[in-house]
Amino acid sequence: LFVALRETAQQRLLLIGNFTPDSARLSQQQLRLSGIGGQWQDLLLGCPCHLDQDLQLEPYGFRWLLSQSTAESSLTKRGSDGITNDDV
């Protein structure tokens, strides 16, 4: 597995890729030891992802996960017209 965490003051983005022909598992313990857990938003599937349990990836699968608190704040900040409060 390839795992990268990109952090800024406003965002946490977790990229996970399985570059093998076999299923792969990223254990909750490995995530927790790296300081990663809780609720995230899967940007590709558009659904919540819970990292308080093991994460299974299919062969050649990948996930782009945004920290749930970051996802919620950007969703509430951006209106349905795509304009943020900062743009007004």
Side-chain angles (χ1 to χ4, degrees):
L1 288 174
F2 172 81
V3 180
L5 179 64
R6 171 80 172 149
E7 291 184 272
T8 67
Q10 296 83 23
Q11 290 186 339
R12 293 182 77 196
L13 180 65
L14 183 63
L15 307 171
I16 307 167
N18 178 10
F19 295 94
T20 70
D22 302 309
S23 294
R25 180 180 58 85
L26 187 57
S27 76
Q28 180 269 337
Q29 182 181 11
Q30 290 169 311
L31 292 166
R32 187 170 29 93
L33 289 173
S34 299
I36 299 169
Q39 296 278 5
W40 294 69
Q41 180 71 23
D42 189 313
L43 296 177
L44 300 175
L45 299 176
C47 62
C49 181
H50 308 279
L51 294 183
D52 294 330
Q53 57 194 14
D54 292 355
L55 183 64
Q56 189 75 26
L57 270 81
E58 62 279 353
Y60 304 107
F62 54 94
R63 306 286 284 274
W64 296 358
L65 306 176
L66 184 65
S67 174
Q68 187 67 35
S69 59
T70 304
E72 288 172 357
S73 65
S74 70
L75 286 176
T76 56
K77 188 176 179 181
R78 185 170 299 279
S80 60
D81 55 3
I83 298 174
T84 65
N85 293 338
D86 297 336
D87 296 333
V88 178

